[in-house]
């Protein structure tokens, strides 16, 4: 079960049956209100509310006077009706707006809100005065409680211009409240799920549409030499749509591309071991970053989100295919050298696997990672071949 801890964070006890009832009652009344004011002329006059329903709603929510709202809607609808009957157009035309988001064509465009954000709001006062700040950047960490010191240090490298979001895979959320910043963070808790599982489910592009840049980070990163504002400045300056900070050379380094170069701000190409790159502008020599500390622009993320598969939760192989989402990839994917991190290589989620056939938990996880990588490559190649075939084009030999 997932807990978006927004209510919990503002001091309301979680998983409290009483609260839940009140909450659903409020939602019910709000829905009633919305229907009432959204379609007064079209529907209200035709709807017949039995008085028992009205008093039922009132009983469940003595604070809000539903009757008043309905009266208001009635008056409004009636006067409209009188006006429209004068002009002899009793038939109200149906709304159909093909340019609305798919499925919402029957709504007047003015009421359609296709995107949202992760800003916290108050339960009282003027909605327009709720937000004291509207961060333009989002950073997510997928965390287990044992890494709390690391995450605390990392979060402090991100200014108030960032929304902080934690994905908890060990179901321990309340313990984080020892940190002041945690009370304003977004917490999503689901047992034993991976970063890409969370990202696919909770970072839909329409949900994070307010953020210019989205950091999707692991928990085992040492950020001593990293400053998030400075990083974003460099990413903007060099036009990087997908990026990562350089990695300190002597630890956790798999690819030359991600290795920090001491003498420059960013790099976009590198040299690998002989024979590793078929093309100097293709991974792993260019158009390539790893998936441990990736930073996406809004547009790049919209594409990458669509490429993430629901069932391939480890994201292996994604790094080699990120280039499908930006053009030209060898110029828009790169590594920021002057803001760099150390990958500490703590296989924490790996230990949340299951011991099977005499294998340690992490071995099963590792095997699954490899299998997913193969599956992802096959799916991508098949999809592209199918596309080319359908278009009557002979598929290029390399689609990986
Ligand atoms: C009805 O028409 C009158 C006169 O044209 C106008 O003053 C009034 O605001 C209209 N009422 C509504 C609800 O549109
Ligand atoms: C936050 O963003 C604003 C506007 O871009 C900027 O002026 C400010 O310096 C930023 N805060 C920090 C701590 O960098």
């Amino acid at each position: 079960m997932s807990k978006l801890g927004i209510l919990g964070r503002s001091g309301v006890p979680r998983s409290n049956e009483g609260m839940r009832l009140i909450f659903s009652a409020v939602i019910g009344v709000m829905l009633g209100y919305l229907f009432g004011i959204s379609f007064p002329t079209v529907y209200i006059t035709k709807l017949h509310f039995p008085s028992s329903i009205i008093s039922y709603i009132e009983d469940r929510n003595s604070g809000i006077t539903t009757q008043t709202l309905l009266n208001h809607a009635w008056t409004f609808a009636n006067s409209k009706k009188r006006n429209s009957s004068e002009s002899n157009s009793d038939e109200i035309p149906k709304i159909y707006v093909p340019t609305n988001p798919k499925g919402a064509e029957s709504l007047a465009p003015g009421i359609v809100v296709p995107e949202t954000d992760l800003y916290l709001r108050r339960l009282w006062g003027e909605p327009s005065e709720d937000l004291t700040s509207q961060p333009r950047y989002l950073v997510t960490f997928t965390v287990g409680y044992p890494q709390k010191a690391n995450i605390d240090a990392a979060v402090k490298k991100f200014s108030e211009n960032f929304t902080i979001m934690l994905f908890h895979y060990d179901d321990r959320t309340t313990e984080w409240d020892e940190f002041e910043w945690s009370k304003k963070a977004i917490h999503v808790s689901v047992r034993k799920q991976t970063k890409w599982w969370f990202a696919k489910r909770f970072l839909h592009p329409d949900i994070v549409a307010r953020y210019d840049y989205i950091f999707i980070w692991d928990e085992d990163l040492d950020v001593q030499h990293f400053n998030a504002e400075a990083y974003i400045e460099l990413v903007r300056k060099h036009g990087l749509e997908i990026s990562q900070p350089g990695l300190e050379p002597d630890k956790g380094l798999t690819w030359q591309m991600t290795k920090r170069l001491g003498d420059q701000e960013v790099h976009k190409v590198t040299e690998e071991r002989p024979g590793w790159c078929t093309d100097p502008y293709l991974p792993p020599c260019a158009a390539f970053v790893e998936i441990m500390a990736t930073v996406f622009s809004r547009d790049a993320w919209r594409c990458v989100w669509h490429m993430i598969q629901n069932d391939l939760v480890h994201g292996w192989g994604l790094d080699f295919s990120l280039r499908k989402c930006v053009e030209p990839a060898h110029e828009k994917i790169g590594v920021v050298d002057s803001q760099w991190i150390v990958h500490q290589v703590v296989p924490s989620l790996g230990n949340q696997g299951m011991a099977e056939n005499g294998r340690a938990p992490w071995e099963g996880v590792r095997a699954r990672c490899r299998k997913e990588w193969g599956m992802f490559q096959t799916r991508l190649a098949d999809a592209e071949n199918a596309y080319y075939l359908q278009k009557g084009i002979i598929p290029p030999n390399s689609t990986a």
Side-chain angles (χ1 to χ4, degrees):
M1 193 190 72
S2 89
K3 279 182 254 168
L4 274 167
I6 300 171
L7 274 177
R9 298 293 129 190
S10 52
V12 183
R14 256 193 238 116
S15 39
N16 173 322
E17 279 309 308
M19 276 314 298
R20 231 175 258 168
L21 278 177
I22 293 171
F23 192 65
S24 51
V26 170
I27 291 279
V29 168
M30 275 163 43
L31 280 179
Y33 173 70
L34 283 177
F35 279 116
I37 61 168
S38 303
F39 309 105
T41 54
V42 185
Y43 292 116
I44 281 286
T45 50
K46 292 178 186 154
L47 283 180
H48 181 68
F49 288 105
S51 53
S52 57
I53 287 190
I54 293 171
S55 59
Y56 174 73
I57 296 174
E58 276 188 327
D59 283 347
R60 300 204 58 182
N61 186 69
S62 48
I64 297 176
T65 52
T66 314
Q67 186 70 60
T68 315
L69 297 174
L70 287 172
N71 280 345
H72 173 77
W74 273 108
T75 319
F76 184 66
N78 283 339
S79 64
K80 270 272 199 233
K81 201 180 175 199
R82 238 176 284 121
N83 277 12
S84 60
S85 60
E86 272 165 22
S87 60
N88 242 352
S89 56
D90 222 4
E91 277 304 304
I92 288 117
K94 274 210 163 62
I95 294 179
Y96 184 82
V97 188
T99 49
N100 276 359
K102 200 170 154 219
E105 293 87 352
S106 63
L107 298 179
I111 198 64
V112 173
V113 182
E115 295 174 344
T116 182
D117 54 60
L118 295 167
Y119 304 151
L120 305 190
R121 289 179 174 274
R122 305 173 297 185
L123 303 180
W124 63 93
E126 279 296 316
S128 62
E129 292 165 10
D130 283 349
L131 306 179
T132 50
S133 74
Q134 303 187 31
R136 302 286 298 283
Y137 316 121
L138 172 69
V139 57
T140 74
F141 295 98
T142 304
V143 301
Y145 189 64
Q147 291 295 313
K148 65 167 181 163
N150 219 21
I151 295 299
D152 181 44
V155 164
K156 286 175 177 151
K157 294 289 184 165
F158 292 87
S159 70
E160 76 283 356
N161 289 335
F162 286 79
T163 292
I164 309 288
M165 187 169 190
L166 297 191
F167 297 133
H168 301 269
Y169 60 75
D170 61 355
D171 206 26
R172 294 176 72 179
T173 52
T174 40
E175 288 98 329
W176 290 82
D177 275 355
E178 70 180 86
F179 303 120
E180 200 51 37
W181 55 260
S182 169
K183 294 169 189 167
K184 287 188 289 176
I186 308 283
H187 297 261
V188 179
S189 174
V190 188
R191 276 175 189 274
K192 297 195 181 197
Q193 299 304 319
T194 67
K195 180 169 77 167
W196 299 108
W197 184 94
F198 282 108
K200 182 72 175 177
R201 281 147 191 87
F202 296 99
L203 300 180
H204 185 279
D206 288 343
I207 291 182
V208 297
R210 288 303 301 273
Y211 301 100
D212 295 351
Y213 291 96
I214 300 153
F215 293 57
I216 302 183
W217 280 25
D218 286 354
E219 62 184 330
D220 56 347
L221 306 170
D222 175 341
V223 293
Q224 263 186 75
H225 305 281
F226 179 83
N227 176 290
E229 298 278 347
Y231 182 92
I232 283 178
E233 208 169 289
L234 287 168
V235 158
R236 276 195 213 283
K237 177 177 166 190
H238 294 276
L240 296 178
E241 299 280 324
I242 302 177
S243 64
Q244 72 161 76
L247 293 181
E248 164 31 85
D250 59 318
K251 275 178 100 179
L253 195 68
T254 316
W255 307 100
Q256 287 301 306
M257 179 67 181
T258 56
K259 178 170 147 185
R260 176 176 85 98
L261 302 180
D263 54 353
Q264 55 198 81
E265 288 183 342
V266 309
H267 70 268
K268 303 179 181 181
V269 291
T270 189
E271 290 206 348
E272 263 294 350
R273 282 143 274 199
W276 279 37
C277 298
T278 52
D279 183 318
Y281 280 168
L282 284 183
C285 281
F288 174 72
V289 292
E290 283 183 276
I291 53 173
M292 74 181 75
T294 326
V295 181
F296 300 93
S297 71
R298 179 193 290 108
D299 290 345
W301 176 244
R302 186 167 282 279
C303 173
V304 171
W305 182 88
H306 281 89
M307 192 165 63
I308 295 172
Q309 307 289 295
N310 284 333
D311 56 338
L312 306 184
V313 295
H314 292 290
W316 278 38
L318 208 52
D319 37 12
F320 278 81
S321 303
L322 293 175
R323 66 190 181 88
K324 308 272 177 189
C325 280
V326 288
E327 183 71 38
H330 64 272
E331 284 174 16
K332 295 190 173 169
I333 301 182
V335 173
V336 176
D337 295 300
S338 54
Q339 295 298 327
W340 49 285
I341 57 172
V342 181
H343 188 212
Q344 297 172 321
V345 199
V346 183
S348 20
L349 188 57
N351 291 334
Q352 305 254 328
M354 201 165 88
E356 240 177 9
N357 308 327
R359 289 192 307 184
W362 68 264
E363 286 179 296
V365 172
R366 183 46 62 104
R368 162 96 185 220
C369 289
R370 294 220 175 85
K371 186 191 289 181
E372 285 193 6
W373 193 357
M375 291 171 76
F376 182 72
Q377 280 177 308
T378 306
R379 275 184 209 178
L380 186 62
D382 288 353
E384 292 187 348
N385 283 334
Y387 170 83
Y388 288 127
L389 214 61
Q390 190 209 357
K391 292 273 170 190
I393 303 169
I394 297 172
N397 6 338
S398 164
T399 49

